[in-house]
Amino acid sequence: MMKQSLISSAIVTALFSSNVFAADVKGKILDNNNQPVSGAKVHLHGKSQSVTTDKNGQFTINVDADSQLHITKNNYLDERLPVITDNAYVTVVLKPSAVESMVVYASALHKNNVEMASPVTVLAGDELKNAAKPTLGETLKGQPGINASYFGPVSSSPIIRGLDGPRVKITQNGLDSSDASRVGPDHANTNDSLSAQQIEVLRGPATLLYGSGAIGGVVNVVDNRIPTDIIESLSGAAEYSHDTVSNTNTYAAMLETGSDGFNFHFDGVSRKGGDYDTPEFNLPHEEHDEHGEDDHDAHDDHGHEGEHDDHNESPETAKKVDNTFIDSQQVNFGTSYVNEHLTLGLSFGRIDTDYGIPAHSHEGHDHDEHEGHEHDEHEGEDDHADESAEQGVFARVKQDRWQALFNYSLHNEWIESINVRAGYTDYEHSEIEHGSIGTTFKNKTTELRTGIEHRIGEWHGIVGYHYADSDYKADGAEAFTPATETKSHALFLLEERTFGDFTLELGARIEDFQLSSLVTTEAHHDDHDDHGDDDHDDHGHDDHDDHGHDDHDDHGHDDHDDHKEYESVAYQLDMTNISASIGGVYNFTEGHNVAFNVSRSERAPLTAELLSNGTHIATRTYELGLGYVIEDGEVHFEPQEIAQETATNIDFSVRRFIGDFGYTINVFYNDVANYYYQQNTGLMFTSEHGIENADHFHEGALPVFKFASDDAELYGVELDAHYRINDKNRVKVFADTLTAKLDNDQYLPRIPSNKLGVKYEYEHAGWKANMTITRYNSQSDIAAYESKTNGYTLVDTSFQYDFSAQGIDFVGYANIDNLTNELGFVHSSFIKEQAPLPGRNLKLGLRAYF
């Protein structure tokens, strides 16, 4: 008992002992020209909040123990300065960075992007606000190594180094966005870039902190909805912008205030626009496969389909993409209490968005007649931004999101801080046609992440626990995946140690993954053949399965098959995912470093990859998951041998970030065992005839795609270089290349084309202007069922003027996207032929800060 008491006393002392003597340390931050730097953040290592320098570059921060000041300012190199309680006044000179330099919140260890072992891109400030689009994919696609899935401009998710969907984790303040964007490319993610402080993109596996869903990377949207600094006055911002290409008006506002450590935050965004205009393009012929996935079709030089030889009429053309409107509102409230050691806060956000789904057709689907549907009272009265809302399928997204934060900074010798983040999300996505709900996707998610930041000897790191529970359901026409509950429990560890100019980084994560579902399949009887399929249909679905189908279920099962028998099978997948990494950064001379990172990450399949069985209208395919097999046109559920997807990733970076010339070069190689991908079976599906060989052609037949696994490798190079000509002029060059193949030497589908760009920037007396020219190469490295996509060049330019009036700071700007009105088709899009990129767009905006 005496020994246990001594141990307990030691733990309590470690947790709660701190120097009772406190003192204020004052200082001033200057640039290399001895001019004050305003807006620099000064953070005392181990504390939960920071202070910001005033217009004279001055600050005051309370110090209650010997520690280290961490000074950061965007586009300056970080400085770290030892301080003691006896310090009276400190002066710090920040050196300008030759490349964009910002603190990465997703790093967990207060690292700057030029200090990290793995490559990171950060967008923030006016650059982010001016680049903000309705989706993260469109906002980020110009960055090296990042592209967009592009299901129209209002549903476009980020692709990182050729990986997207289940392999890219999209988070808000480190917690999963918890929408249904991983189910299909027509499902938009729910993070709005306009309300963000900064957006961080972690390339390569980030599974150590964020789980197996981050095997390809993380996009972290950082906001201040739970204020973490003490706010002592009222401040805010407001913005209005107008896009001519889609007649879109966007309004945004933010307000923050506080008193005696209690803080309040509000932000909101409203966006409403119609169908977007394009240069004239040929519409695909109706009997063609609309995704370029029928290798019997002909394609024109733009990479979209031409007319068959037996048609002499001219192809139909269009100058806009129908059904691409958006009508979106979101509001967010947050509050917190902050003192020297404690941050405690809560936020709530609501999203209510309607957006059109282009190329979304129910051809070949038992959903053509709507007379028998009852209209919801409010749905028939909607006044959307464009008449196309009445003509096509549109999505109605509603999401309520709660987040909580607890951070206690002990500031003692061992444990620096304890951090807990928790979130609950209630998400609903309904697809509506002619006023009736065809399909509803629901996802309720609970997430908890706790971490203890510590110092043990020379090691600095974080150890933590991560829990996530997702309850997913789909009911209706496109419910091609069953209701599924997914749970994970994980422990993670990240440690770093500095040896002179070299910093070593080690990490590990062990994750218990459980997926539970009720799968409907055909009943087996002794008097049947080995599969029990004699009297069964070809699709393995009950007419009253968990998808909520009626007598004519929406996977095309005929209600005349009542003599067929089905059974519901409780299915559970249990896997233990283990990930580990080793990396390092060597500062071989001032302003130069090399970084490497080697990681091994494991991932279990998600619902869509494992249990899909039905018509996916958005992609115009019939999808089958890994758990199904096709034998003689019949589908059987046999998930006995499901192996984890395992990625071994190597990253090597060379950086120069000081002086007038700076650059970052990233080289990566990703070897993936059991890579999950969709394979064209060569079979076709109709509701009347089921699954048949492709030579039995029936009108409205859809190709059958089945998830398979094979070894794959992805490798490439990324370049980001900056040259400061003088105080007014700057030039940037960026590029990326990517090769993605299976071990059988076949290319993976929808791999983004390589790009090369140059950006010129001018700044003088409040004026800023830039022009960017980006060349997207043609993509001929394609899967067998794809068509080649021709290259295109986009020219974008912008003008900005900063001024003040009545004590308010204003930013007026004009952006012209696609200045030359170039016709471009996105190879990574499922609907590239129906939805080319927008034409010339003039965006006018005014932003105010007070």
Side-chain angles (χ1 to χ4, degrees):
M1 294 295 293
M2 178 66 72
K3 185 175 181 180
Q4 291 178 345
S5 178
L6 290 173
I7 293 174
S8 300
S9 298
I11 293 174
V12 171
T13 301
L15 287 175
F16 297 106
S17 65
S18 62
N19 196 327
V20 295
F21 299 101
D24 285 340
V25 170
K26 297 183 178 181
K28 188 172 187 177
I29 310 298
L30 303 172
D31 63 16
N32 57 342
N33 295 319
N34 284 325
Q35 296 300 307
V37 177
S38 63
K41 281 204 167 185
V42 183
H43 175 256
L44 187 68
H45 209 56
K47 286 296 183 75
S48 61
Q49 79 285 336
S50 59
V51 297
T52 303
T53 58
D54 60 20
K55 63 181 180 180
N56 297 314
Q58 296 181 339
F59 69 92
T60 301
I61 191 167
N62 184 268
V63 178
D64 56 8
D66 297 348
S67 186
Q68 182 187 71
L69 286 182
H70 183 195
I71 300 99
T72 63
K73 171 72 173 177
N74 288 353
N75 300 321
Y76 287 86
L77 300 180
D78 288 14
E79 287 289 341
R80 291 174 172 83
L81 178 72
V83 293
I84 58 176
T85 54
D86 293 336
N87 281 125
Y89 196 86
V90 297
T91 301
V92 180
V93 177
L94 295 181
K95 297 178 181 178
S97 174
V99 299
E100 282 90 354
S101 174
M102 301 171 198
V103 173
V104 181
Y105 292 90
S107 69
L109 295 177
H110 323 293
K111 306 284 283 186
N112 190 288
N113 59 310
V114 298
E115 300 173 325
M116 293 187 64
S118 55
V120 181
T121 293
V122 183
L123 277 180
D126 283 338
E127 181 182 7
L128 170 59
K129 301 300 183 187
N130 291 345
K133 300 291 194 299
T135 64
L136 289 179
E138 293 305 288
T139 300
L140 298 170
K141 69 178 184 180
Q143 304 301 314
I146 306 170
N147 290 275
S149 60
Y150 199 74
F151 210 93
V154 294
S155 180
S156 181
S157 297
I159 299 175
I160 303 178
R161 294 176 171 179
L163 302 178
D164 64 348
R167 299 180 180 90
V168 172
K169 193 88 158 183
I170 299 177
T171 63
Q172 179 186 331
N173 301 316
L175 297 180
D176 199 311
S177 61
S178 303
D179 48 40
S181 58
R182 297 180 182 186
V183 176
D186 58 321
H187 293 210
N189 58 66
T190 55
N191 300 90
D192 195 293
S193 54
L194 196 61
S195 60
Q197 282 189 324
Q198 68 183 46
I199 300 177
E200 308 163 346
V201 182
L202 282 66
R203 298 178 183 85
T207 55
L208 299 178
L209 296 176
Y210 296 98
S212 57
I215 200 168
V218 166
V219 178
N220 186 40
V221 179
V222 180
D223 56 52
N224 198 41
R225 290 169 188 170
I226 299 179
T228 55
D229 293 331
I230 296 174
I231 302 174
E232 298 178 340
S233 61
L234 177 66
S235 64
E239 180 173 359
Y240 166 76
S241 66
H242 176 77
D243 289 85
T244 60
V245 76
S246 58
N247 196 31
T248 297
N249 293 302
T250 302
Y251 304 85
M254 185 273 292
L255 185 70
E256 291 184 336
T257 189
S259 177
D260 297 327
F262 290 94
N263 307 306
F264 173 80
H265 171 97
F266 162 81
D267 71 73
V269 178
S270 176
R271 181 182 285 112
K272 189 171 184 179
D275 297 346
Y276 71 89
D277 297 328
T278 70
E280 188 173 22
F281 69 102
N282 293 340
L283 290 170
H285 201 277
E286 288 183 357
E287 59 256 37
H288 286 191
D289 175 82
E290 295 185 359
H291 298 285
E293 289 167 346
D294 185 350
D295 53 7
H296 298 292
D297 290 342
H299 300 82
D300 71 12
D301 291 337
H302 291 305
H304 62 282
E305 293 165 352
E307 53 184 337
H308 279 296
D309 292 338
D310 56 351
H311 291 275
N312 297 320
E313 68 273 13
S314 298
E316 185 180 356
T317 63
K319 290 186 177 181
K320 72 174 183 177
V321 177
D322 291 334
N323 202 26
T324 52
F325 75 93
I326 186 170
D327 186 354
S328 175
Q329 293 79 38
Q330 66 168 278
V331 293
N332 299 279
F333 301 90
T335 185
S336 67
Y337 173 73
V338 179
N339 64 25
E340 287 298 313
H341 291 274
L342 175 68
T343 299
L344 183 65
L346 181 70
S347 70
F348 170 75
R350 169 161 290 177
I351 296 172
D352 191 344
T353 298
D354 290 358
Y355 67 89
I357 305 176
H360 200 302
S361 168
H362 286 283
E363 180 183 353
H365 201 274
D366 293 338
H367 206 259
D368 293 328
E369 297 181 1
H370 300 274
E371 291 84 351
H373 291 286
E374 294 185 2
H375 294 229
D376 290 350
E377 293 180 3
H378 65 281
E379 289 170 358
E381 299 172 358
D382 286 342
D383 180 20
H384 294 296
D386 195 273
E387 291 182 359
S388 59
E390 301 298 327
Q391 301 169 357
V393 178
F394 70 93
R396 171 164 292 155
V397 175
K398 297 180 182 293
Q399 184 185 74
D400 289 340
R401 182 177 178 86
W402 294 87
Q403 281 197 354
L405 169 66
F406 168 83
N407 191 95
Y408 189 78
S409 300
L410 289 84
H411 202 178
N412 63 40
E413 185 177 355
W414 294 349
I415 298 178
E416 294 187 344
S417 66
I418 300 173
N419 182 280
V420 180
R421 283 192 180 272
Y424 173 77
T425 303
D426 187 353
Y427 169 90
E428 181 177 299
H429 170 118
S430 297
E431 296 190 354
I432 299 170
E433 184 176 13
H434 298 289
S436 297
I437 296 177
T439 309
T440 297
F441 301 86
K442 296 181 179 180
N443 191 23
K444 295 183 179 181
T445 303
T446 304
E447 189 172 8
L448 173 71
R449 177 191 301 278
T450 180
I452 300 175
E453 188 177 351
H454 57 268
R455 286 189 180 274
I456 302 176
E458 298 296 323
W459 290 91
H460 173 221
I462 184 169
V463 60
Y465 165 74
H466 185 197
Y467 166 78
D469 183 351
S470 174
D471 188 1
Y472 164 81
K473 293 180 181 178
D475 298 300
E478 290 193 48
F480 59 94
T481 52
T484 307
E485 184 174 14
T486 305
K487 289 184 179 181
S488 65
H489 301 264
L491 296 174
F492 61 86
L493 177 69
L494 183 64
E495 300 287 336
E496 66 174 11
R497 180 176 177 179
T498 300
F499 301 87
D501 294 325
F502 177 73
T503 300
L504 177 67
E505 189 176 286
L506 303 174
R509 178 187 179 100
I510 181 168
E511 175 183 272
D512 176 53
F513 178 90
Q514 297 179 350
L515 183 151
S516 302
S517 184
L518 196 64
V519 180
T520 302
T521 186
E522 297 179 16
H524 294 254
H525 297 284
D526 294 337
D527 56 346
H528 291 178
D529 64 16
D530 292 337
H531 296 287
D533 296 322
D534 288 355
D535 295 324
H536 297 179
D537 72 5
D538 296 333
H539 317 298
H541 282 286
D542 192 349
D543 292 333
H544 300 279
D545 64 10
D546 289 335
H547 300 165
H549 303 302
D550 54 22
D551 289 340
H552 284 277
D553 86 6
D554 292 297
H555 295 309
H557 305 311
D558 197 329
D559 63 349
H560 296 294
D561 293 338
D562 293 336
H563 64 283
K564 300 176 182 179
E565 298 181 28
Y566 300 88
E567 61 184 1
S568 295
V569 178
Y571 174 73
Q572 180 164 311
L573 177 70
D574 292 305
M575 285 186 170
T576 300
N577 300 315
I578 299 176
S579 301
S581 72
I582 179 171
V585 179
Y586 175 52
N587 297 291
F588 58 90
T589 189
E590 184 182 12
H592 300 71
N593 68 30
V594 294
F596 76 91
N597 194 65
V598 180
S599 62
R600 183 183 183 276
S601 305
E602 294 181 340
R603 182 177 80 88
L606 297 186
T607 305
E609 298 167 305
L610 180 63
L611 302 177
S612 294
N613 184 4
T615 302
H616 192 174
I617 300 300
T619 60
R620 298 295 309 278
T621 59
Y622 189 95
E623 295 188 4
L624 286 171
L626 291 162
Y628 290 91
V629 296
I630 305 174
E631 295 179 354
D632 299 326
E634 298 179 344
V635 175
H636 308 288
F637 185 63
E638 298 180 8
Q640 287 78 14
E641 298 182 5
I642 304 296
Q644 288 156 304
E645 187 176 88
T646 304
T648 302
N649 188 83
I650 302 173
D651 260 298
F652 181 78
S653 301
V654 181
R655 306 177 182 127
R656 175 190 169 103
F657 44 88
I658 195 170
D660 294 331
F661 177 58
Y663 58 82
T664 299
I665 302 173
N666 305 319
V667 181
F668 67 93
Y669 176 79
N670 196 2
D671 186 12
V672 187
N674 302 314
Y675 181 89
Y676 308 142
Y677 70 103
Q678 284 185 302
Q679 187 178 59
N680 190 348
T681 63
L683 303 173
M684 303 296 288
F685 169 83
T686 58
S687 58
E688 182 179 358
H689 299 90
I691 295 177
E692 296 182 319
N693 291 327
D695 53 3
H696 293 90
F697 179 80
H698 299 284
E699 184 178 358
L702 299 178
V704 178
F705 276 70
K706 185 186 179 307
F707 277 94
S709 65
D710 201 348
D711 295 345
E713 58 179 9
L714 301 91
Y715 53 89
V717 180
E718 299 156 351
L719 167 69
D720 189 7
H722 302 246
Y723 178 61
R724 181 176 173 270
I725 301 171
N726 52 39
D727 290 341
K728 300 178 182 178
N729 299 276
R730 188 175 182 179
V731 176
K732 175 181 178 180
V733 176
F734 56 94
D736 58 42
T737 68
L738 172 66
T739 301
K741 287 184 174 183
L742 296 169
D743 268 13
N744 59 16
D745 215 33
Q746 294 182 2
Y747 290 102
L748 290 172
R750 288 178 296 280
I751 292 301
S753 58
N754 301 332
K755 65 175 178 281
L756 170 65
V758 59
K759 182 178 183 179
Y760 166 74
E761 297 176 332
Y762 173 84
E763 182 176 353
H764 178 64
W767 286 96
K768 295 180 182 178
N770 67 66
M771 175 175 284
T772 305
I773 303 174
T774 309
R775 174 63 184 176
Y776 291 84
N777 291 345
S778 62
Q779 182 58 284
S780 57
D781 296 339
I782 57 178
Y785 53 84
E786 289 187 294
S787 61
K788 174 185 174 182
T789 304
N790 275 14
Y792 53 94
T793 301
L794 297 182
V795 180
D796 305 318
T797 186
S798 71
F799 304 90
Q800 176 180 318
Y801 180 61
D802 300 352
F803 62 99
S804 298
Q806 303 297 318
I808 300 175
D809 295 327
F810 289 94
V811 178
Y813 61 92
N815 300 342
I816 305 177
D817 299 328
N818 195 3
L819 179 65
T820 60
N821 206 34
E822 178 91 346
L823 180 63
F825 295 86
V826 181
H827 184 75
S828 53
S829 172
F830 274 88
I831 56 169
K832 67 176 183 179
E833 291 84 13
Q834 296 101 318
L837 290 170
R840 184 185 298 110
N841 176 42
L842 172 62
K843 179 179 180 180
L844 299 174
L846 180 66
R847 193 177 304 125
Y849 301 93
F850 60 90

